[in-house]
Amino acid sequence: MPLELPTNKPCLLIRRPAFERAGITRSVIDERLGLTDQEFRMEADLIVVGPILDDSALQLLIDDLERAGLVYFQDFFELSGNWPDWLVLYARELGRG
C-alpha cells in the first residue's frame, strides 16, 4: 500500500534492504530526529521518515547513512515537502502493488 508523504517539511525515503544492510536501527533515527510512531513508516521495501522538523538533524542523519555505505538517490533521498496543501503525494516501491 502506498505511503502518504508529508507536506511542508522534508522527509527521507529509504530502501529497506539498504537500511537493513547498513545496520542502522530505527532507535538511532528516532533519537536523532525525535520521531513519533507516525513519523517512521514502512511498507514492503520502502521506509518513509518524516516530516522532519530539524534541518540540522536531517543533515547529520544523511551523513550517518552515507558513512554506513548508503548511496544518496540510489538507496535513499530527501524529498522537500515543498508542494501545496491541496496536493497529496504517495510513494511505494516500484513493482509492488
Side-chain angles (χ1 to χ4, degrees):
M1 168 171 268
L3 296 168
E4 187 173 334
L5 302 176
T7 301
N8 297 321
K9 293 290 181 185
C11 66
L12 274 180
L13 288 89
I14 308 169
R15 297 177 73 198
R16 188 175 181 171
F19 176 80
E20 291 173 350
R21 183 179 66 245
I24 297 172
T25 63
R26 177 182 174 168
S27 62
V28 168
I29 293 175
D30 286 348
E31 183 179 320
R32 168 92 62 198
L33 300 175
L35 300 178
T36 68
D37 288 343
Q38 297 302 312
E39 295 169 338
F40 188 106
R41 297 169 292 143
M42 291 189 293
E43 179 66 35
D45 283 341
L46 181 65
I47 299 170
V48 175
V49 179
I52 300 172
L53 306 177
D54 183 335
D55 292 334
S56 304
L58 171 59
Q59 187 55 56
L60 290 172
L61 178 56
I62 289 172
D63 294 344
D64 289 345
L65 294 173
E66 289 177 333
R67 271 194 299 278
L70 276 67
V71 177
Y72 191 83
F73 208 74
Q74 167 118 9
D75 297 318
F76 72 98
F77 71 96
E78 173 200 356
L79 195 59
S80 72
N82 190 19
W83 55 83
D85 290 337
W86 53 262
L87 179 64
V88 178
L89 298 181
Y90 293 88
R92 68 178 172 85
E93 179 199 12
L94 184 61
R96 299 274 179 155

